[in-house]
Amino acid sequence: MKIIRFLSDDHRILYGRYETDQPDCARIIVGDIFHDFHVTREQAKIKRFLPPVQPSNILALGLSYRRHAEETEMAVPDYPILFMKATSSVIGHQEPILLPAAGPEKVDYEAELAVVIGKSAKNLKIPDAMACVLGYTCANDVSARDWQLEKQKGQWIRGKSFDTFCPLGPWIVTKDEIVHPDRLQIRTILNDDDILQDSNTANMIHNIAAIISFLSQSMTLLPGTVVLTGTPEGVGFTRQPPVFLKAGDRITVEIEDIGRLINPVIREQQPLS
């Protein structure tokens, strides 16, 4: 099932079941998607996609792919490297990424498979880890590399948490429809034709069950937690010459069996005071 969160044409914020053969409408979901819900027969027109979940936490991993660690000239980690992104950074499909006034010149893309946690979990063993998963969505871990790597070396959160720096969507695909999340093709496409990242989640150092188990040993994974599982090689700041997002760009994260998350790029208008 594809679960979307959307603004209807009569200005209601709704959850719905998205059907690809009716791309302008969704069947309304009633109830709590993390507990009891059902899909009604009532349809509503989609005016605007919203982030498919309002995260309780955003847990993000760094250096999850060996070749990405190598391109950044960083050591391959023994354990997943964890950082967090502000929940205020979340936007949905087709919403614009803002190049922030505080650092518009070195904004980078990172295609990532996002796992949406469906029920509370703590201290999970690897064989039991997938039981807490609701589903999967596409994510773009947008990053201001000047803040991440130059101005605040070793402290990633600010450079990762500017407003609009966590696009999610377009929908959550429930886990029953994705049998092998560790074998999904993942790509980043700039301006519809320039493929910048092209890999597979099979290339991750730690598989998804191991990641969830590891995270649950540190904290309770709450319903609505979004886990960004890391990005493959091909990010902008490692390229020669570097490729950073600029106003007028259109950046797409494409993941097999999920879909395409597309966001235009504009410059933040609010001046620094």
Side-chain angles (χ1 to χ4, degrees):
M1 180 191 306
K2 292 185 175 80
I3 298 174
I4 67 167
R5 183 169 161 267
F6 66 103
L7 181 68
S8 68
D9 64 347
D10 56 359
H11 304 288
R12 291 179 291 167
I13 295 176
L14 300 168
Y15 279 100
R17 176 172 179 165
Y18 186 79
E19 308 286 353
T20 53
D21 60 345
Q22 292 184 297
D24 297 328
C25 297
R27 289 177 59 187
I28 295 174
I29 289 173
V30 297
D32 184 344
I33 65 167
F34 302 112
H35 294 94
D36 295 319
F37 71 91
H38 72 274
V39 182
T40 70
R41 294 180 179 274
E42 182 183 358
Q43 290 190 337
K45 286 191 175 181
I46 301 167
K47 182 176 182 180
R48 179 162 62 91
F49 283 89
L50 300 175
V53 61
Q54 294 176 290
S56 50
N57 277 315
I58 303 171
L59 307 179
L61 302 186
L63 308 180
S64 291
Y65 291 74
R66 186 175 300 275
R67 291 184 63 183
H68 176 54
E70 291 170 352
E71 74 177 352
T72 61
E73 299 182 349
M74 298 181 188
V76 175
D78 294 327
Y79 300 99
I81 293 176
L82 174 65
F83 62 95
M84 300 180 76
K85 291 175 77 86
T87 55
S88 56
S89 67
V90 173
I91 58 172
H93 175 58
Q94 297 177 345
E95 291 189 79
I97 296 168
L98 300 180
L99 303 177
E105 302 301 330
K106 295 184 178 181
V107 176
D108 207 345
Y109 54 85
E110 292 190 12
E112 307 203 7
L113 173 67
V115 181
V116 181
I117 301 299
K119 60 182 179 180
S120 294
K122 184 72 167 70
N123 291 331
L124 294 170
K125 296 180 180 178
I126 291 175
D128 303 323
M130 303 304 288
C132 72
V133 173
L134 173 66
Y136 307 93
T137 190
C138 302
N140 192 339
D141 177 18
V142 183
S143 308
R145 299 300 189 190
D146 47 359
W147 282 101
Q148 179 193 3
L149 301 174
E150 299 166 17
K151 297 179 181 179
Q152 292 187 280
K153 294 179 181 179
Q155 198 283 82
W156 292 3
I157 293 177
R158 181 167 185 178
K160 298 278 192 173
S161 289
F162 283 98
D163 290 351
T164 75
F165 272 26
C166 190
L168 297 173
W171 39 67
I172 299 167
V173 179
T174 52
K175 68 179 179 182
D176 59 295
E177 294 196 2
I178 298 183
V179 179
H180 299 295
D182 296 306
R183 302 181 201 167
L184 300 177
Q185 201 71 18
I186 180 169
R187 302 200 304 173
T188 297
I189 305 165
L190 180 64
N191 297 327
D192 300 325
D193 56 9
D194 191 0
I195 298 173
L196 300 177
Q197 293 179 286
D198 191 355
S199 187
N200 194 289
T201 57
N203 296 323
M204 290 196 297
I205 298 167
H206 306 281
N207 67 26
I208 292 169
I211 288 169
I212 293 170
S213 172
F214 175 81
L215 294 175
S216 76
Q217 295 168 34
S218 301
M219 65 194 76
T220 299
L221 302 180
L222 300 172
T225 296
V226 172
V227 179
L228 306 187
T229 58
T231 198
E233 70 278 2
V235 296
F237 84 96
T238 66
R239 290 176 168 270
Q240 297 299 327
V243 175
F244 294 116
L245 298 178
K246 61 184 185 299
D249 281 344
R250 173 183 167 98
I251 194 77
T252 300
V253 173
E254 179 183 81
I255 302 180
E256 181 182 3
D257 293 340
I258 297 178
R260 285 182 155 207
L261 168 65
I262 303 171
N263 298 95
V265 180
I266 65 175
R267 191 155 182 148
E268 185 178 29
Q269 297 302 310
Q270 182 178 352
L272 289 174
S273 58

